[in-house]
Amino acid sequence: MMLICPHSGLGNQIGNYVFAEFLKEKGVDVKFLITKDGKLDREFVLDKFNVELPCAGKEDIEQFLALKTPIFSYKLLVYNILFRKRTYFNSLYKVLARIRKEYGLYPKKTPAFLAKTISFEDVLKYGCRVGAVCDCYSPIPEFNDGNFKRKICGQFKLKEQMNEENKQIFDVIKSAKNPVGVHIRRGDYLNLKIPVVKSEFLIEKMEYMMKTLIEPEFFIFSDGMDWAKETLKSFNDVHFVDINDEAHGYLDFILMNECIHRIYSASSFSKWLKYLNEHQNSIEFTPENKDLTIET
């Protein structure tokens, strides 16, 4: 049995979900470790989409804990601790915290349990079928099969109707001749010293869209909207979409995914928008390392 733990923001949740779907296509028994506890993690929103979420019950967790740990997993444990220490223990925490919080089970951190927390890369490389995974955040080449991609695209549609405010923006995007979605990821990236896109990158790509497209309209999605408004104030036909808080970021995802053309950030949210883009003849720009900076 494989336990998949979707966590953190929407991009990470999508990544782990898609990896689970990939495993299910390969005949692997997959169950999800999910929590909606706001104290433990960010808002869980995957269930807002038409996805299939076979959640683990208490008996599933007990069965998982009782499963014999494959000998090879002990070798992976040593490797992960030595060479992926921070990433490994971060994954272990997320898995263990959910088992304790959601099911009231408190497995001891013995080598037999520790070895069951593995990387998605371990699964792909060694064919592991017993383990807990929570670290597949971005699209990987294995997800590019045409039939699989169409299936996933079909699942990331809203289950329920949008509220009126989002529906109005959706209708404006639909009526635009050339809607351009611009994702600007900032927020906690600044405090964590994670690179963000330079203003020059955004301005250059938006100017290109203006020269290339007929009547482009820009729709800006950002967790740093004040910065975005100041940086892009010289542009016309710009809609700053700031109606959704973090808990409703999945609505921003749906709105931006409706835009034909896109300018992305360096984030898992952007990477999945690109993967799930079903529009034909899109002009898309993804930042390279030279387009990123760590702001002080």
Side-chain angles (χ1 to χ4, degrees):
M1 177 192 297
M2 297 294 301
L3 296 180
I4 303 295
C5 176
H7 66 93
S8 299
L10 177 57
N12 289 5
Q13 291 181 37
I14 293 175
N16 285 296
Y17 172 80
V18 176
F19 187 64
E21 288 296 292
F22 174 78
L23 293 181
K24 286 164 63 177
E25 293 269 316
K26 304 299 180 184
V28 179
D29 181 20
V30 175
K31 296 290 177 63
F32 287 95
L33 275 176
I34 293 172
T35 180
K36 295 188 178 181
D37 187 336
K39 296 180 182 178
L40 185 61
D41 203 358
R42 290 161 69 180
E43 192 80 16
F44 180 79
V45 295
L46 278 181
D47 55 355
K48 304 298 183 182
F49 301 100
N50 285 317
V51 299
E52 300 172 4
L53 292 166
C55 298
K58 188 171 183 178
E59 64 281 1
D60 295 311
I61 302 302
E62 290 172 337
Q63 178 188 345
F64 175 79
L65 296 175
L67 286 174
K68 185 176 181 180
T69 305
I71 297 297
F72 188 70
S73 293
Y74 291 103
K75 296 181 180 179
L76 293 177
L77 174 63
V78 173
Y79 175 86
N80 285 331
I81 291 176
L82 289 177
F83 299 104
R84 299 178 66 253
K85 187 172 183 179
R86 182 175 179 180
T87 302
Y88 170 75
F89 283 108
N90 185 49
S91 296
L92 174 66
Y93 166 77
K94 294 181 185 303
V95 171
L96 189 60
R98 280 156 183 73
I99 290 176
R100 289 176 171 174
K101 184 70 178 180
E102 295 297 316
Y103 307 98
L105 298 172
Y106 295 86
K108 295 180 180 179
K109 290 185 280 187
T110 63
F113 174 73
L114 296 176
K116 287 179 181 174
T117 300
I118 57 179
S119 167
F120 81 94
E121 294 171 328
D122 299 334
V123 179
L124 295 176
K125 188 172 181 179
Y126 303 110
C128 305
R129 287 182 172 243
V130 175
V133 174
C134 69
D135 65 342
C136 186
Y137 307 141
S138 304
I140 56 178
E142 286 80 1
F143 297 163
N144 288 332
D145 174 79
N147 291 331
F148 179 75
K149 190 171 183 179
R150 280 190 290 275
K151 172 187 172 183
I152 297 300
C153 287
Q155 291 178 341
F156 279 90
K157 313 295 182 185
L158 282 184
K159 283 183 179 178
E160 302 176 359
Q161 288 188 344
M162 292 179 170
N163 60 29
E164 187 58 33
E165 203 171 13
N166 279 279
K167 183 66 167 57
Q168 289 177 3
I169 297 295
F170 184 87
D171 290 342
V172 173
I173 293 172
K174 291 286 289 185
S175 64
K177 185 183 293 287
N178 277 299
V180 181
V182 183
H183 179 225
I184 306 173
R185 179 72 162 92
R186 290 177 64 80
D188 59 341
Y189 274 24
L190 301 178
N191 291 332
L192 295 171
K193 302 303 179 183
I194 297 174
V196 295
V197 292
K198 297 177 181 177
S199 58
E200 293 85 353
F201 168 79
L202 296 169
I203 292 170
E204 176 187 328
K205 301 312 177 187
M206 288 176 67
E207 288 178 345
Y208 176 88
M209 296 288 194
M210 292 182 65
K211 294 175 183 176
T212 305
L213 300 172
I214 299 173
E215 299 178 22
E217 289 187 45
F218 297 97
F219 297 84
I220 313 300
F221 302 85
S222 179
D223 54 359
M225 195 60 83
D226 290 342
W227 181 91
K229 288 178 178 179
E230 177 63 26
T231 301
L232 306 177
K233 62 185 178 183
S234 63
F235 288 89
N236 298 319
D237 296 320
V238 176
H239 308 265
F240 293 97
V241 185
D242 56 359
I243 58 177
N244 296 309
D245 59 16
E246 183 182 14
H248 297 84
Y250 63 93
L251 292 169
D252 282 348
F253 192 88
I254 290 294
L255 292 173
M256 183 160 172
N257 209 29
E258 196 61 34
C259 295
I260 297 174
H261 312 286
R262 286 71 172 306
I263 299 172
Y264 298 114
S265 278
S267 72
S268 58
F269 187 95
S270 271
K271 290 174 182 177
W272 286 108
L273 279 167
K274 185 173 184 178
Y275 177 83
L276 294 168
N277 184 9
E278 296 182 274
H279 294 285
Q280 302 297 317
N281 302 317
S282 285
I283 298 175
E284 300 177 294
F285 290 109
T286 301
E288 301 175 4
N289 287 338
K290 65 179 178 62
D291 303 312
L292 304 175
T293 184
I294 296 177
E295 292 193 5
T296 57

